[in-house]
Amino acid sequence: LYRSLHDRHNCHDDCHDPRGGSVVNIPSAYLRVHIPAKAAGAETENQAKVVQFIKKIGMKHIKVFAPGTVANLGCGFDVMGLTLDGVGDVLEVGVAENAEGFEIRNRSGMELPGNVEENVITPAVRALLEAYGRPVRIEVEILEKIAPGSGIGSSAASSAAAVWGVNELLGRPFSGERLVEFAMMGEALIGGTPHADNVGPAVLGGVVLIRGYEPLDIVRLPVPEGFFYAVVHPDIVVSTKEAREVLPREVPLHDAVTQWGNVGGLVAGFALGDVALIGRSMHDVVAEPYRKGFIPGYDQLKEGVLAEGALAMNIAGSGPSIFALAADEAVAQRVAQRMRAHFARPGIGCKIYAGRVSNCGARIVE
Ligand code: HSE
């Protein structure tokens, strides 16, 4: 049973519970709607309790994890992204068909907008329900959350987990690619432009190339064996909107040639499993030169990280997080420490993460 569910979830390697345990891919939704014999004959219960019970059994629930992601991968501005292991959002998603209503509760401890209209989950789930075309009541409880504004796909993880969970509970009416389209609506809410380089890998897992947006054409690329990341999230604020506005509207032909050479090299590097080619292709002349000014001592840090043995370093999405890739776990750990020390010098606090680049996207966890 585990293997068949695992295969259906499109995982290319073993997907473990990101918090250390094993993923139990048994859809607990179906177990929870089972009516216990004792409760079925609950004539002695008072009216209110019976109504409560009926409401509860009509609602199917699952707990879903969606991973953090690194968008752009240097040269692939808005068209490439990869999945991190061990960091992400956990949501409990509840669905009742032939009922109305939408609720989001935040139990993550992170400060999130109180108004549902300002939560990225709302436009993503609405897009899914519009396509579904039948009344569904949705309840979402946010249990664990990547720090908002980190640049490692915090908003994407929430909208990916929500649409993935709703789709599971509705019996999978939509493909992974459609889920990416729905989740993109959440990105539009915060950045003004619906891009898929975070939601693509958060839903599907692995390394993702968005070959085109009209229509959406997503290519999943293999992750090389033994491929590790280090990420630092410094305690500074860079809004996605501001980081997009700072970019020039036009790219000179010379820069365009450099950029598409590197994007081609990056895709070839993943397809061939050539980590050295991946490293030297992760060079960006479109966004990094304009965005690095938001990050204190960026060039100096990059020099140190590459000297430490990393294959490449660049800005994660629109920042302020920075990521590095390495073919060796010890290098990734050392790089993460170096990143922390870099920001500690001017007194900037930070969170660091290091781990394996993951092949697994959104999934059920217990
Ligand atoms: N591709 C996006 C950007 C990612 O760089 O602006 C941020 O959400």
Side-chain angles (χ1 to χ4, degrees):
L1 174 65
Y2 174 81
R3 177 52 56 195
S4 76
L5 285 164
H6 187 266
D7 292 346
R8 277 194 304 170
H9 284 279
N10 284 331
C11 289
H12 296 275
D13 61 4
D14 279 343
C15 296
H16 298 293
D17 186 319
R19 294 151 308 165
S22 306
V23 175
V24 180
N25 260 337
I26 297 168
S28 52
Y30 310 121
L31 302 179
R32 286 199 193 189
V33 294
H34 174 73
I35 305 171
K38 188 171 161 239
E43 307 85 3
T44 54
E45 299 286 341
N46 68 41
Q47 193 78 11
K49 274 191 180 163
V50 172
V51 171
Q52 269 312 99
F53 178 69
I54 288 167
K55 259 188 174 171
K56 204 168 157 199
I57 60 168
M59 196 102 201
K60 299 187 276 181
H61 291 262
I62 45 173
K63 207 183 267 186
V64 180
F65 170 84
T69 47
V70 169
N72 299 344
L73 299 186
C75 55
F77 177 73
D78 276 359
V79 298
M80 289 197 74
L82 67 71
T83 311
L84 303 175
D85 205 19
V87 50
D89 282 13
V90 179
L91 267 54
E92 172 132 356
V93 181
V95 154
E97 293 214 56
N98 303 313
E100 304 274 354
F102 180 54
E103 263 180 44
I104 302 177
R105 289 184 290 274
N106 175 21
R107 307 239 186 284
S108 67
M110 292 287 171
E111 207 173 306
L112 299 174
N115 179 355
V116 286
E117 295 303 324
E118 288 168 28
N119 193 307
V120 291
I121 291 174
T122 305
V125 166
R126 260 195 202 131
L128 182 153
L129 290 182
E130 223 162 85
Y132 191 59
R134 279 184 264 154
V136 182
R137 176 173 176 77
I138 312 269
E139 290 181 15
V140 176
E141 197 157 294
I142 304 165
L143 303 174
E144 289 174 35
K145 174 99 214 84
I146 303 170
S150 57
I152 51 168
S154 166
S155 54
S158 289
S159 37
V163 295
W164 193 92
V166 171
N167 190 53
E168 280 296 293
L169 292 169
L170 293 176
R172 299 200 193 131
F174 300 109
S175 67
E177 282 72 15
R178 283 307 298 283
L179 297 182
V180 172
E181 282 183 54
F182 303 142
M184 273 168 62
M185 296 304 126
E187 300 293 77
L189 182 74
I190 49 161
T193 323
H195 48 90
D197 48 351
N198 285 114
V199 289
V203 171
L204 304 171
V207 175
V208 165
L209 163 74
I210 297 110
R211 197 220 40 91
Y213 276 93
E214 289 168 8
L216 193 64
D217 184 357
I218 298 181
V219 181
R220 234 173 142 255
L221 294 162
V223 177
E225 274 299 311
F227 203 47
F228 301 89
Y229 70 85
V231 167
V232 59
H233 174 203
D235 206 358
I236 52 178
V237 176
V238 178
S239 82
T240 298
K241 198 161 179 286
E242 200 183 350
R244 292 182 80 85
E245 279 167 5
V246 83
L247 303 178
R249 300 295 100 184
E250 283 168 19
V251 176
L253 184 61
H254 177 266
D255 286 349
V257 171
T258 303
Q259 198 80 358
W260 60 56
N262 281 316
V263 175
L266 195 55
V267 171
F270 282 114
L272 299 170
D274 182 338
V275 291
L277 178 57
I278 293 171
R280 66 178 188 274
S281 304
M282 214 167 269
H283 172 65
D284 168 37
V285 294
V286 166
E288 188 193 38
Y290 305 95
R291 289 177 164 179
K292 67 182 184 182
F294 291 119
I295 300 162
Y298 182 87
D299 287 332
Q300 192 195 356
L301 175 61
K302 188 164 181 168
E303 213 174 284
V305 162
L306 296 179
E308 205 68 74
L311 297 162
M313 185 194 103
N314 219 301
I315 301 168
S318 55
S321 289
I322 296 165
F323 75 99
L325 295 175
D328 184 310
E329 188 164 18
V331 171
Q333 296 289 351
R334 275 205 312 274
V335 164
Q337 292 306 331
R338 187 165 193 135
M339 288 168 156
R340 190 207 294 278
H342 173 84
F343 288 105
R345 272 194 291 278
I348 300 171
C350 65
K351 281 195 200 68
I352 52 169
Y353 309 89
R356 192 178 278 274
V357 175
S358 173
N359 250 326
C360 295
R363 55 199 187 265
I364 295 173
V365 284
E366 272 306 313

